[in-house]
Amino acid sequence: MKPAITYELIKQCPHTGARAGRIHTPHGSFDTPIFMPVGTQASVKTLSPEELKEMGAGIILSNNYHLFLRPGSKLVKEAGGLHKFMNWDRAI
């Protein structure tokens, strides 16, 4: 069975070991290293999902502990899961 998330090494520096790669997820792929906005409570403050996409964001970090506290996992599940709750169709 193929893993849901895979890493593809694009290039590695022979002197420092620094790497450039691509992470593949069920919701899309993104290059690394990457700027990853933080959606503390399922949103990046002051930016809409459309604006984030225009900026080239391929992934958003989500603080699941904060979401667990408020609004709670039941509400997120009722909304159809975290992607639908956040209105984000890319990687989280």
Side-chain angles (χ1 to χ4, degrees):
M1 177 176 226
K2 183 180 175 186
I5 299 174
T6 59
Y7 176 78
E8 174 188 0
L9 179 64
I10 304 295
K11 189 166 181 124
Q12 185 167 359
C13 176
H15 305 291
T16 65
R19 300 177 298 177
R22 187 168 293 121
I23 295 178
H24 303 279
T25 78
H27 292 277
S29 301
F30 54 91
D31 294 334
T32 64
I34 189 169
F35 166 68
M36 197 177 310
V38 177
T40 302
Q41 289 189 309
S43 68
V44 176
K45 304 306 181 233
T46 75
L47 294 172
S48 70
E50 293 77 21
E51 291 170 319
L52 290 166
K53 288 178 183 178
E54 287 174 14
M55 292 171 53
I59 185 170
I60 297 176
L61 283 181
S62 171
N63 190 315
N64 291 333
Y65 178 69
H66 288 163
L67 290 169
F68 170 75
L69 294 176
R70 186 185 58 192
S73 58
K74 183 178 178 185
L75 186 64
V76 172
K77 185 176 181 179
E78 287 174 2
L82 189 54
H83 282 92
K84 289 189 179 181
F85 184 79
M86 292 176 67
N87 190 29
W88 185 253
D89 60 359
R90 297 182 181 182
I92 297 175

